[in-house]
Amino acid sequence: MLTTDGPEAQDQLFESPHTPDVPKNLARATLRLQFSPTYVIVGVYRLFTDPLLYAPAWDKCKHGTRRGAIVGALWAAFTFNIQRKFIELFLANSPRVTGLSNNTVFGFKVPFSLPTYAAVLFLGSQITYILGFFLYRNIRIARERAWAQTMTSRGKGPDFWQPYVEEWETPPVVAGDTKLEKFVKKWLGEKVGLFAVKRILLLPFNFYPFVGMVISAWFKALGTAHNLHRQYFESKKMTEKEIAVFMEERKWEYRIFGFTAALLEGLPIIGLVFTISNRVGAAMWAHDLEKRQHFVASKMNTNKRVE
């Protein structure tokens, strides 16, 4: 019987009693499914090597990227020294508030100038927002289209997606939303509320060099993974309960995939590129998951005919 007690539980999925043998056409997909972060790498590779993917994405974003890069470069040239001086005068001299000083982070010595690091970090975030402002509409379209373009490059159409099939003999019981989540969704709206709460909770970690990015990505992991597979769930017309059970059965795969994707998307400037490549990787993961669904469905149908 399958459980959800840890990463090893997902390995048992491929040894399920109703799917004892994996066919050759699923062998490579099975290996990839056992380590979901590989799809993030696959997404980057395909985006930069497949003309069906990078050409339309660049055509949609090139004008906004050029305008944003010019404005961002001018902003950096005129404000870097000012921002660095501001950090030296106010932040670095207030360690009780931020934990920063000229050569320490929360009491630990670092091999670089903290004001310079903080200025570069803040400036990188600002340039990212500037680029995002000029790219807002077009990069959103590029992300949405990346899914369909990936499927087209794989030669798959709408008929590839079949109704959801439960793969576990005993599906896990999924708990509902917590009281805090229900309150946030009710009064602020699901997307806006949760986004605001995460921003507030994660704000203190922004002052930790490098470590802050890792902590932030871990907290965003499941939400990022769910969002990246939104089109997969829609294509299969899955209910909220089916989605919750499906993700719970693969919670470690989704968490690790989402962590890796969120970590790359959180990088200043180049993270915008990863917001597209991660959609490609998520589509490739969905492709293998769907092949697995087809295999399970065919085995179930065969067993029913035998009975």
Side-chain angles (χ1 to χ4, degrees):
M1 182 179 297
L2 298 177
T3 65
T4 56
D5 294 334
E8 65 278 2
Q10 279 69 44
D11 294 340
Q12 299 177 38
L13 181 61
F14 300 102
E15 302 171 1
S16 176
H18 62 263
T19 56
D21 299 310
V22 176
K24 291 183 179 180
N25 65 325
L26 273 179
R28 293 179 62 184
T30 298
L31 292 175
R32 291 192 296 265
L33 287 170
Q34 291 178 329
F35 190 62
S36 58
T38 57
Y39 291 101
V40 175
I41 300 173
V42 169
V44 174
Y45 173 78
R46 289 190 65 84
L47 178 62
F48 283 93
T49 59
D50 190 340
L52 292 176
L53 298 176
Y54 68 74
W58 176 242
D59 288 342
K60 200 67 182 173
C61 298
K62 60 183 178 182
H63 298 299
T65 300
R66 289 166 182 167
R67 290 193 293 268
I70 293 172
V71 174
L74 292 174
W75 174 259
F78 284 106
T79 67
F80 177 77
N81 289 331
I82 297 174
Q83 293 194 55
R84 189 180 188 283
K85 182 60 65 174
F86 174 84
I87 292 170
E88 287 179 338
L89 293 176
F90 295 95
L91 297 184
N93 292 326
S94 304
R96 293 182 180 179
V97 178
T98 64
L100 300 178
S101 67
N102 283 331
N103 59 357
T104 65
V105 179
F106 298 91
F108 295 96
K109 290 186 178 182
V110 292
F112 49 80
S113 169
L114 253 295
T116 299
Y117 166 80
V120 171
L121 184 67
F122 291 151
L123 195 59
S125 298
Q126 293 161 16
I127 294 175
T128 302
Y129 281 116
I130 291 172
L131 285 168
F133 173 78
F134 284 97
L135 288 168
Y136 175 75
R137 182 175 178 274
N138 287 345
I139 198 171
R140 178 171 55 84
I141 295 173
R143 291 168 187 159
E144 293 294 325
R145 291 178 177 175
W147 173 276
Q149 290 161 351
T150 302
M151 290 299 107
T152 299
S153 71
R154 299 291 296 174
K156 306 298 182 183
D159 58 337
F160 175 65
W161 311 106
Q162 297 182 5
Y164 171 71
V165 176
E166 177 53 55
E167 300 179 18
W168 287 37
E169 293 184 353
T170 306
V173 178
V174 180
D177 293 336
T178 63
K179 292 183 179 180
L180 175 60
E181 290 173 334
K182 291 180 179 178
F183 174 81
V184 170
K185 290 179 180 179
K186 179 178 179 181
W187 295 104
L188 298 178
E190 182 174 359
K191 292 184 178 180
V192 176
L194 294 178
F195 176 80
V197 170
K198 287 180 179 179
R199 283 290 183 181
I200 294 172
L201 292 177
L202 296 177
L203 182 61
F205 297 118
N206 292 336
F207 294 103
Y208 288 85
F210 310 116
V211 178
M213 293 177 59
V214 174
I215 296 175
S216 177
W218 182 253
F219 277 103
K220 296 176 182 178
L222 283 178
T224 299
H226 183 280
N227 182 57
L228 289 172
H229 260 182
R230 174 180 53 82
Q231 288 171 291
Y232 175 51
F233 301 140
E234 291 175 353
S235 298
K236 290 180 69 65
K237 297 180 173 60
M238 294 171 64
T239 64
E240 290 296 326
K241 182 179 180 180
E242 288 173 342
I243 294 172
V245 171
F246 188 81
M247 292 189 65
E248 179 66 19
E249 291 170 345
R250 299 158 180 81
K251 62 182 179 181
W252 289 103
E253 280 87 346
Y254 271 106
R255 185 176 291 279
I256 298 172
F257 174 83
F259 167 76
T260 308
L263 186 63
L264 293 179
E265 291 184 10
L267 295 174
I269 304 174
I270 62 172
L272 292 172
V273 178
F274 292 122
T275 63
I276 299 177
S277 68
N278 284 338
R279 266 68 178 178
V280 177
M284 295 296 295
W285 186 16
H287 175 269
D288 286 347
L289 286 170
E290 187 63 11
K291 287 169 63 178
R292 172 72 183 179
Q293 285 266 292
H294 292 180
F295 173 61
V296 173
S298 66
K299 293 289 291 185
M300 288 182 174
N301 291 333
T302 299
N303 292 339
K304 287 181 181 179
R305 286 195 296 269
V306 171
E307 293 175 358

